[in-house]
Amino acid sequence: MGADYLGGQFTAACLKAGTSSFADFLAASAPDLLPGAGTPAQVATGPGAGGQPGANLPHGTTIVAMDYAGGVAMAGDRRSTAGNVIAQRDIEKVFRSDDFSCVGIAGVAGIGLELVRLFQLELEHYEKLEGRTLSLDGKANRLAAFVRGNLGGAMQGLVVVPLFAGFDEDTGKGRIFSYDVAGGRYEERNYHAIGSGSVFARGSLKKLYAVGMAEDEAITACMHALYDAADDDSATGGPDLTRRIYPVVALVTEDGFRQLTDDEAGEYAQAVVAERMQSPGGPIAPLRQATT
């Protein structure tokens, strides 16, 4: 038991006046609790890994995001894979980060979930100490620092990258941010996708996106994008009507964060599947805009 233990749930470090950053506090008082800390390379390898670090760990796959007239929508499939095996059919990869933002993860699921929990605590801790929330740009920058903190793990094959989106109260619009493994932060215009099926999902979004889309249209477009990703990428799971497992869909507007219920998401998913039964290739984008 440490000398600074106070006989309860808190150590002396917890009661000192300090930084408004929970991550900085954790790095100083308990660095072993940071995502990826103390994970040796050999833990990431094992039978069936083919000699590739991280190959046998559960990986999250495809996340899509799209802005629309009232805010921004983010959706993620529910499958995680370990090599060529389905590790879990109903994993959640899209989360509320605070009242006006959400985050999705692709890559090594365990580290990604730790990163999301730390990010959620970071925003909550800042708001409690400062009495106000970070700006959307500030939130995006803090998330970039967390991703950069896992660079050592990423170099060992334990890669995780997030997709961040939120409603900017200053501009009244939804915004989307992507990241690379080194913590580079990039603002995306209109829509974006990450994960193993992202190239197929992004192509679908490119066809379906229109400026000023209604909320239900944006949700439907995200569902179609995930369906297209699952159609061509084995690591991405499509809507599972038999088990009633549907993509997680989050919406962020001026009213705050809202996640669709399973029943709500199921209605959109079933409508998309029914449409694909008639047209397997999905909606066809017009070659030219109608003129009046």
Side-chain angles (χ1 to χ4, degrees):
M1 185 175 295
D4 64 344
Y5 186 73
L6 301 181
Q9 298 180 0
F10 305 103
T11 63
C14 297
L15 303 181
K16 292 180 181 177
T19 175
S20 58
S21 168
F22 183 78
D24 291 346
F25 163 75
L26 202 60
S29 60
D32 57 300
L33 297 180
L34 290 170
T39 304
Q42 60 267 29
V43 173
T45 59
Q52 297 296 320
N56 65 331
L57 295 177
H59 282 64
T61 47
T62 309
I63 309 292
V64 300
M66 171 183 285
D67 66 29
Y68 62 93
V72 65
M74 181 179 291
D77 79 303
R78 304 293 295 276
R79 176 177 293 177
S80 69
T81 58
N84 64 330
V85 177
I86 296 176
Q88 188 173 344
R89 299 180 186 275
D90 60 352
I91 189 173
E92 293 195 14
K93 293 173 276 186
V94 175
F95 306 91
R96 172 191 179 277
S97 46
D98 73 354
D99 287 341
F100 290 97
S101 63
C102 61
V103 60
I105 56 167
V108 179
I111 294 177
L113 294 174
E114 283 190 357
L115 185 146
V116 167
R117 286 193 289 266
L118 178 59
F119 184 52
Q120 291 169 331
L121 283 171
E122 174 81 359
L123 300 184
E124 183 179 349
H125 184 76
Y126 181 92
E127 184 174 354
K128 286 180 177 178
L129 291 191
E130 299 295 330
R132 59 184 178 87
T133 60
L134 272 169
S135 66
L136 193 63
D137 282 300
K139 298 170 190 175
N141 289 338
R142 289 305 300 155
L143 185 55
F146 294 161
V147 177
R148 186 164 56 250
N150 186 52
L151 182 58
M155 299 300 289
Q156 297 178 24
L158 306 178
V159 177
V160 59
V161 289
L163 185 62
F164 177 67
F167 182 82
D168 192 331
E169 297 177 270
D170 295 329
T171 63
K173 297 180 180 179
R175 298 169 65 189
I176 303 167
F177 299 88
S178 66
Y179 301 83
D180 61 32
V181 295
R185 188 210 81 168
Y186 312 97
E187 183 165 2
E188 305 293 343
R189 295 185 60 184
N190 306 138
Y191 56 84
H192 195 64
I194 61 171
S196 61
S198 61
V199 62
F200 310 110
R202 202 175 307 157
S204 181
L205 292 174
K206 184 183 294 185
K207 289 193 308 178
L208 300 176
Y209 178 82
V211 176
M213 296 178 75
E215 183 175 274
D216 62 335
E217 294 174 329
I219 296 171
T220 301
C222 288
M223 286 286 185
H224 274 293
L226 290 176
Y227 189 103
D228 282 327
D231 200 31
D232 288 296
D233 173 46
S234 61
T236 303
D240 190 334
L241 303 186
T242 303
R243 298 181 178 87
R244 294 178 174 81
I245 299 174
Y246 310 113
V248 174
V249 181
L251 307 170
V252 189
T253 66
E254 63 180 353
D255 296 322
F257 172 91
R258 182 172 77 89
Q259 180 175 318
L260 296 192
T261 65
D262 284 342
D263 289 341
E264 290 174 322
E267 289 181 7
Y268 285 98
Q270 290 172 24
V272 167
V273 171
E275 183 176 343
R276 293 303 182 105
M277 293 291 288
Q278 303 301 319
S279 178
I284 298 175
L287 293 179
R288 63 177 64 183
Q289 296 293 328
T291 57
T292 57

